Structures are given as C-alpha cells and as structure tokens.
Amino acid sequence: MKQSKITALYERLSHDDELKGESNSITNQKRLLEDYAGRNGLPNPTHFSDDGWSGTRWDRPDFLKLMDEIDAGRVAVLVVKDISRIGRDHLRVGLFMEKLRENNVRFVGVSDGVDTADGEDEFMPFRNIIHEWYVRDTSRKIKAAFRARGMAGKHTSSYAPYGYLKSKKDKNRWIVDEEAAAVVRRIFRLTMDGKGPYQIACILEADRIEIPGAYLAKKGAGLHQHKVFENPYHWSSSTICAILKKKEYLGHTVNFKSTKNSYKDKKNHYVPESEWVIFENTHEPIIDGATFDNVQRLRSNVKRRPDGWGYVHPLTGLVYCADCGSKLYVHRVTNGRDNPMYVCAGYGKIPVGSKCESGHRISADRLLEIIAKSLKEIAAYSKEDKTAFAVAVQEALAEKQTADATEQKKRLAKLKRRRAELDTLFKRIYEDNALGKLSANRYRSLSEEYEREQEQIEREIPELDAVVERHKDGNERAGRFTELVKRYEDFDELTTSMINEFVEKIIVHERDRKGSADTTQRVDIHFNFIGAFTVPQEPKDPAALAAEEEERRIIEERKDRLHAAYLKRKANGKQKEYERRYEPR
C-alpha cells in the first residue's frame, strides 16, 4: 500500500520572539497549526519544531529534517504561522519557496493569509524583506548596547575565563576560583621553567587535571555544560597557548577581542590587539605582571625542543650573534661526549659563511658561568650600597634609553608625516581618475600600493608609540629589577626559571683570535628591565695592567709561532702524514 504524503507543520521560536509574549510560543504555534490542519482536512499532520533558533540560522535541526522530507518527495503541504518562521533572509527564503514549487509542495502562511493553492502572492517578496529588516534593526540595537556596555568597562563575555567564576551576588564581578587558579599559575611556572605547551599538556594529563571545558561544566559554567567529554583530562597545546596569552589573568577586563562582519555572520573573527579595549585592575589578578611579560617574551623568542640527549639547554633562544643578529643554537656532541657549544645559525646557512663569516662558537657551560658571575656581582653590589646600585642602574638605563628613544621618536615622526602624505595622495589620484587624467588600471595599481603602505604604517605606529611610552618609566623598571634581585639569596646554581626571569638576551661576539679555544671573547648580557649593565669597577693599577698586557703578548706570540709551523707542515705535506698515522689510533 502506498504511503500517503504528510502535512508538515513547522514551528520556530527565537529568544527575541519570546520577548513578544505567549502568542509566539512553540505551544501556541502548534495549537494554531493543528487547528488549521484539522479545519481544512489536511492529511497526516507532522510537527517540525526548532525552539530557541534564530531565523538567520539555516542549520536548524528540525528545519534540516524538513528539507530532507521535501527532497524525498514525502511532503504535500507545509504550514507555518507566518513566513518569518521559515527565516529572516529574503534571498534564502526566496530560494526555499522555489524549492517548494519544484517539489509541488503547497505552502500556507496562516497569519499572513498566504496559500499557494490560491495562486502566487505578489506581496510575499516584500514581506521577506520586511522580516529581514527587522533582524537587521534588532542586530544594530543589540550591537550598540553591547558596545556601550563594553566601553563602560563591564565584561562582555558570557562566561568568566578558566581561573575565575562570576560572583553570585554581582554577575559583573569575577572572583578567583582557587582550584583552577592554581592550575593557571602552574602553567605559567612550567613555562618559566622552560617547558613548551605540548610538554605542559602532557604533564597536566599525566596528573589527571581536568581540562577547562570539563571543569567549568562541572561547576555549571562555561560553553560546554551539556557536552559529554570522552577524555576530560586530555589537554591540548592550543588550550595551553590560549591560557598563556590571556591578559585577564593580570586583573584586567579585555573587551572586543573578536567581532562579526554582519548579523548574518555566525562566526567570530579575531581583531588585532591594537583594537582591544582594556580596563586595568578591575578584578583580582592571578598572575603578576613580571611573570606575564616574561612568558610573552619567551613564547615570542624561544622555541625549545628536546634534542638527542633528551633535554633542552636553558639558554636556548636567548643567545644572539653580534654580527648578523641570528640566534646561536646549541650543538651537543664533541667526540661522542656531551659538550654543548653554541654556534651561530647564520654561519651554517648554505653556502656556509654566506650570511655570517664565522660561527661565533662559545661553550654553553662558559656562558652559564659568565651569567652566574655577573648576577653574583650585581647582587653583592646591590646589598653593599642599595642607593649607589639604584643610581647606577638608572644611569645605565637612561643612557640606553636616550639613544633608543631618540631613534624611535624620529621613526615615529617620519611615519606620521608619511601617513598624512598618503591621505593627500589618495585624494589626488582619485581626482585625477575622475577627471580622466589617470587610467583606471593605473589608478587601481597606485591605490593598492598606497593601501599596502598605509596598512603597514598603521600597524607600526602603535608599536612605536608603545616603545616610546615605555622609555618614560625608567625609574620604575630599575626598581622592578632591584626587587627581583632581592628575591634570591645567591646565584650559585642557576635554574631555567631564574635565567628566564633575569636574562632578556645574550649577545656573543667573535673570539679575539678566531679558531683558538684559549682566547678572550666579548659577551654582552642584557637583563630584563634594565638592559646591558655591568658593576662599576675600581681602576686597576697601571703596573698590573702592563704586566697583564705583557703576559697576553707572550701568549699570542707563541700561538703565532705554532700556527706558522702548522701552515708550513700543511704546505710541505708533513701534516697529512701525521694525520694518517694518528687516524688509526
């Protein structure tokens, strides 16, 4: 027996429709459609209901089921309260109505008085446009209210980030959730200890720490309250990275980090950080500013990966070449032994020596000794005379800042002048194009070129503004470094966390005598907050200096003689004979 077709009764209710009262409820719609189907003798009435779905969404569950039934040819009549229940996009609704016509489905809009069995309704396209205008107007009002709320310093996110919970007394206030906050602090601490996001994720999973989504769902918060997590302890690197970037952990409210292009766009798009609106110190911080800044610096500069020896050297990512600016990377093995040496990455570029003439090779252990010695000297100097130490730090910082600030200010002024020039050029080429003095192709080419330059300038100006602004807080930075030194009793054993707290970068120069292991080599250590700093030294006795210089001269002359002998043996073939005899041994 052939199964008869159904009468589809479709109901939809959005959150905005709920505000209009009970007449729009799903229950009321069902009653209305059932009465209509009964009075008109429509066969096999079947409900399709989407409760809580916007008319701008076309991925509604029951609407998709209805579409499948229509495509399968099992729908004779479609009945809705009014045409806005189908959707609020006049183009999509028009395409849907065409689909009904192609499948010989009769359409009935009860409140609108529309029935395609009586012929086409000429006003239906206008109704669709009016329904879409309603959504557009509502979206505009909601967006304006949302913007006003955000600019007033109130939180615009639906839920507090992991580590915080919304106060039950005041939904606009975030309070620290100590259980989750301890995990956040641990993630930052592990990063300072040299661990990467993947390593941290593995540690948390091994310790069976619940992921943020699962933890918040258990607390009745978050976006995944009804989700079933297959493995609630499986942390991902992306989750760790997102936590490490959140400025909310500093106690700040950060609004407008994402946006939508239009009310039809259901996907959020991230906006540049320069467009964020930040209100500082609005709630209790979980992470202090120094730790947060260090973590951002480490994540932007350092990529640590375990090597064949199974560990990561603590200085990786902090050592730079003085000549080409490339990083120095650690090379472990020397004659089968673990003997880490840092070598310039630019020197190894093919062809070797094309980017940097030498490897700037330096022992990793020696670098650690230099850092430890410098920190010990600084700590001792700060304890002996705190006032003199503070003055010396501020003077060193001021000297460096004066040079840097002057250069940055010049660059900033130049960019602002160029930005004004580009505005003038845009107007000029537009007028020339309108008057026929400039061809369309040429206008398009120049316009694109100017736009690219303008975008680059707009990105660079805020960065330079921030740099120039930072030059003004020299005294504060000196004080922060002083406080950091006070936290440690001694520097006999350097940990990765200590190095990351104190050292910004290390600049390595080429050896004074290239190729010689026993020679002098300049190393500049730039500390966090204060840059390069050395403890003032008492002037040496001239006689002692002369004795040291004489000793160096004797050593260098001996090296010159040995090297000349080596070159002579190499020229007459004796060196090759020696190497052949030595090789079997």
Side-chain angles (χ1 to χ4, degrees), residues 10 50 58-69:
Y10 180 71
D50 285 314
W58 295 88
D59 56 348
R60 293 166 258 151
D62 267 31
F63 182 78
L64 295 177
K65 292 178 184 178
L66 173 62
M67 293 287 286
D68 291 338
E69 293 294 316

Side-chain angles (χ1 to χ4, degrees), residues 428-440:
R428 187 173 298 170
I429 64 171
Y430 176 79
E431 291 174 356
D432 288 348
N433 175 252
L435 296 173
K437 298 179 181 179
L438 192 67
S439 67

Side-chain angles (χ1 to χ4, degrees), residues 69-86:
E69 293 294 316
I70 293 172
D71 289 335
R74 291 193 288 266
V75 179
V77 185
L78 171 61
V79 185
V80 297
K81 177 178 177 288
D82 58 65
I83 199 168
S84 69
R85 300 305 92 195
I86 298 298

Side-chain angles (χ1 to χ4, degrees), residues 102 105 145 149 160-161 170 173 177 190 194 213 227 286 337 339 376 390 435 464 472 521 572:
E102 291 174 355
V105 178
R149 177 182 176 84
D170 182 3
R173 189 168 70 89
D177 177 10
L190 287 170
K227 181 178 179 179
I286 293 176
R337 293 171 297 174
N339 183 26
K376 285 179 182 179
L435 296 173
L464 287 173
K472 299 177 183 178
Q521 186 172 11
N572 60 26

Side-chain angles (χ1 to χ4, degrees), residues 489-519:
E489 293 296 327
D490 58 65
F491 298 92
D492 292 330
E493 183 179 353
L494 288 180
T495 64
T496 302
S497 180
M498 286 172 61
I499 292 171
N500 291 332
E501 280 191 281
F502 279 100
V503 179
E504 178 185 353
K505 60 182 177 180
I506 303 165
I507 308 297
V508 176
H509 297 255
E510 184 50 87
R511 302 176 184 183
D512 290 348
R513 187 182 185 93
K514 187 177 175 181
S516 176
D518 184 18
T519 185

Side-chain angles (χ1 to χ4, degrees), residues 205-220:
E205 184 171 358
D207 291 346
R208 297 185 68 79
I209 305 295
E210 287 181 314
I211 61 176
Y215 176 83
L216 291 172
K218 187 176 69 175
K219 292 272 189 177

Side-chain angles (χ1 to χ4, degrees), residues 1 20 24 65 88 114 158 186 234 242 254 294 301 324 365 393 417 420 437 448 482 510 535 551 556 563:
M1 180 178 177
K20 291 187 174 182
N24 282 290
K65 292 178 184 178
R88 293 185 183 274
V114 175
S158 302
R186 185 181 181 189
H234 180 62
V254 185
N294 280 331
N301 292 333
C324 72
D365 294 337
V393 167
R417 284 197 303 271
K437 298 179 181 179
E448 289 174 356
T482 305
E510 184 50 87
V535 174
E551 184 179 354
E556 292 299 319
H563 188 64

